[in-house]
């Protein structure tokens, strides 16, 4: 690297690459550091189509117009959900003009970039060292398998796509034992003749062990009649761990934390990709204007509402969770969007939460109040 650059970004995942690409397009000099800068992203990323922002529509590898949430009842969501084609997304975010360095930096290495860049952005994600932390912080965890679409038909049970299927056929006999942590099935076609079937714990502290999720998925799929040989020998396996509060520690001094390296994730749903990419674009535009924020995602009043929602999720039992998501499924579309959006304001989120609460049966209301307000 020669001289001082305008910005340095560490990490070229969705957040970091969006930021680097936008900065370069706006004429800033950019240094990007990543241990595998040319690798295609591995995780399956799903977003709402209306949150694609500046990305072209053809970055979607699959599109589902009526995904369902199933709890006590079945609910079709009138909102299109897409699975991203990671290679196409990366091609749509070119690094033309960006100086790319292949390296894995620790916190000290990130700090050292301050001497050679006007602005340093940490976009290394929640696991900058590549290891899964052993801590009690709330996390969303999931174990999934990719199988041929024909083999997945029994798991979908007539749905086009299952965003969340909270029914309890993961439990022996279909009855969840007292005190069990609820989980749901995420079943989504990937657009290439395959389907991802994923058992997900939305939030637990600490995160539910992957082996328990694997057992639940196996039981659930067998109970629905999915071929056991396909379950045991899938085309691919996927493991997910998303810390609900981001990395969970202060950012490297003198840097900006973007995406789940900071507070980029949704405290209730764990959704982060659409917001992180949108925030990466807007951060680049702020820097061009000469307005560098103190934080990328500062704490806002609405975060207290979402923190209460996270607290409820961590404490709700299985019946309470099913009642909660039945309430979500009955919300009008604009309130569903507000509940799931990382960018919605306090009044919109409060309205969605109140509507869910008021629509629940009295038993569900009591359980939700206990989970939210109790010790």
């Amino acid at each position: 690297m020669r001289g001082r650059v305008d910005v340095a970004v560490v990490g070229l995942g969705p957040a970091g690459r969006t930021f680097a690409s936008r900065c370069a397009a706006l004429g800033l000099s950019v240094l990007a550091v990543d241990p595998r800068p040319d690798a295609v992203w591995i995780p399956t990323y799903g977003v709402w189509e209306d949150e694609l922002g500046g990305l072209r529509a053809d970055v979607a590898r699959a599109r589902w117009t009526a995904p369902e949430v199933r709890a006590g009842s079945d609910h079709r969501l009138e909102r299109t959900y897409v699975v991203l084609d990671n290679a196409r997304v990366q091609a749509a975010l070119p690094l033309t003009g960006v100086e790319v360095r292949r390296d894995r930096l620790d916190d000290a290495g990130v700090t050292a970039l301050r001497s050679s860049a006007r602005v340093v952005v940490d976009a290394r994600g929640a696991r900058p060292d590549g290891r899964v932390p052993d801590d009690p912080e709330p996390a969303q965890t999931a174990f999934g398998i990719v199988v041929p679409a024909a083999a997945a038909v029994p798991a979908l049970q007539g749905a086009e796509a299952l965003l969340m299927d909270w029914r309890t056929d993961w439990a022996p006999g279909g009855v969840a034992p007292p005190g069990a942590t609820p989980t749901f099935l995420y079943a989504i076609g990937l657009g290439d003749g395959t389907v991802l079937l994923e058992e997900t714990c939305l939030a637990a502290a600490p995160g539910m062990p992957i082996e328990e999720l694997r057992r639940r998925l196996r039981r659930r799929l067998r109970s629905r009649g999915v071929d056991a040989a396909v379950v045991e020998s899938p085309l691919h396996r996927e493991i997910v761990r998303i810390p609900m509060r981001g990395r969970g520690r202060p950012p490297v001094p003198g840097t900006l934390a973007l995406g789940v390296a900071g507070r980029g994730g949704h405290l209730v749903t764990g959704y982060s990709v659409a917001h992180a990419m949108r925030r990466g674009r807007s951060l680049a535009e702020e820097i061009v204007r000469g307005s560098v924020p103190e934080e990328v995602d500062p704490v806002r009043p609405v975060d207290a509402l979402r923190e209460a929602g996270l607290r409820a999720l961590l404490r709700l039992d299985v019946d309470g969770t099913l009642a909660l998501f039945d309430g979500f499924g009955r919300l009008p579309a604009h309130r569903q969007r507000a509940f799931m959006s990382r960018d919605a304001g306090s009044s919109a989120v409060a309205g969605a939460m109140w509507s869910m609460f008021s629509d629940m049966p009295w038993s569900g209301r009591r359980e939700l109040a206990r989970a939210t307000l109790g010790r």
Side-chain angles (χ1 to χ4, degrees), residues 240-263:
V240 176
R241 185 184 188 279
I242 303 171
M244 302 300 283
R245 297 190 180 106
R247 195 180 293 172
R249 57 185 174 84
V252 176
T255 71
L256 296 174
L258 178 63
V260 291
R263 298 192 186 94

Side-chain angles (χ1 to χ4, degrees), residues 292-316:
V292 181
E294 294 184 2
E295 290 184 84
V296 175
D297 286 299
V299 175
R300 300 186 297 157
V302 69
D303 291 330
L305 291 173
R306 295 196 182 101
E307 186 66 38
L310 174 59
R311 186 163 60 247
L313 286 177
L314 294 172
R315 296 171 174 173
L316 280 173

Side-chain angles (χ1 to χ4, degrees), residues 13-19 41 45 47 51-52 55 84 89-90 93 258-259 272-283:
R17 187 172 179 119
T18 302
F19 173 71
W41 303 324
Y45 295 122
V47 301
E51 293 186 341
L52 280 175
L55 292 174
L84 297 180
V89 174
Q90 289 173 257
L93 299 170
L258 178 63
S272 64
V273 173
H275 171 80
M277 297 176 76
R278 185 164 54 250
R279 192 66 186 96
R281 287 190 294 272
S282 64
L283 177 60

Side-chain angles (χ1 to χ4, degrees), residues 92-361:
L93 299 170
L95 298 178
T96 306
V98 175
E99 179 184 349
V100 179
R101 180 194 301 173
R102 187 182 299 271
D103 198 1
R104 183 185 295 279
L105 298 185
D106 58 13
D107 286 359
V110 175
T111 300
L113 290 176
R114 294 170 57 193
S115 65
S116 52
R118 182 165 61 91
V119 179
V120 178
V121 172
D122 184 357
R124 293 176 294 165
R127 294 181 284 168
D129 56 4
R131 296 177 297 175
V132 177
D134 182 16
D135 62 41
E137 281 297 302
Q140 181 177 130
T141 52
F143 173 80
I145 59 174
V146 176
V147 303
V153 169
L156 287 161
Q157 295 190 329
E160 174 186 85
L162 291 172
L163 190 71
M164 296 179 176
D165 186 343
W166 290 98
R167 291 173 297 175
T168 56
D169 49 357
W170 54 263
V175 179
T181 299
T183 58
F184 66 86
L185 175 68
Y186 171 78
I188 196 84
L190 301 180
D192 59 356
T194 66
V195 174
L196 172 63
L197 304 172
E198 197 163 76
E199 193 72 25
T200 303
C201 175
L202 185 55
M208 180 176 283
I210 296 300
E211 190 53 43
E212 171 61 18
L213 291 163
R214 188 196 309 263
R215 284 193 291 268
R216 290 192 180 195
L217 180 64
R218 185 183 297 123
R219 286 195 212 106
R220 187 192 294 274
L221 296 182
R222 286 184 175 176
S223 74
R224 296 190 184 190
V226 177
D227 189 335
V230 173
V231 174
E232 298 303 328
S233 300
L235 302 173
H236 175 66
R237 293 179 175 86
E238 182 163 309
I239 292 174
V240 176
R241 185 184 188 279
I242 303 171
M244 302 300 283
R245 297 190 180 106
R247 195 180 293 172
R249 57 185 174 84
V252 176
T255 71
L256 296 174
L258 178 63
V260 291
R263 298 192 186 94
H266 194 295
L267 283 169
V268 179
T269 65
Y271 281 18
S272 64
V273 173
H275 171 80
M277 297 176 76
R278 185 164 54 250
R279 192 66 186 96
R281 287 190 294 272
S282 64
L283 177 60
E285 291 158 6
E286 289 173 43
I287 292 172
V288 166
R289 294 194 299 267
S291 175
V292 181
E294 294 184 2
E295 290 184 84
V296 175
D297 286 299
V299 175
R300 300 186 297 157
V302 69
D303 291 330
L305 291 173
R306 295 196 182 101
E307 186 66 38
L310 174 59
R311 186 163 60 247
L313 286 177
L314 294 172
R315 296 171 174 173
L316 280 173
D317 61 12
V318 170
D319 289 342
T321 300
L322 266 67
L324 177 70
F325 281 94
D326 272 331
F328 170 79
R330 288 189 288 266
L331 288 176
H334 73 282
R335 294 214 182 276
Q336 291 176 347
R337 288 185 175 89
F339 181 76
M340 304 192 85
S341 171
R342 177 66 176 77
D343 299 313
S346 297
S347 60
V349 173
M353 287 183 165
W354 175 253
S355 294
M356 290 169 66
F357 177 80
S358 60
D359 189 63
M360 294 170 69

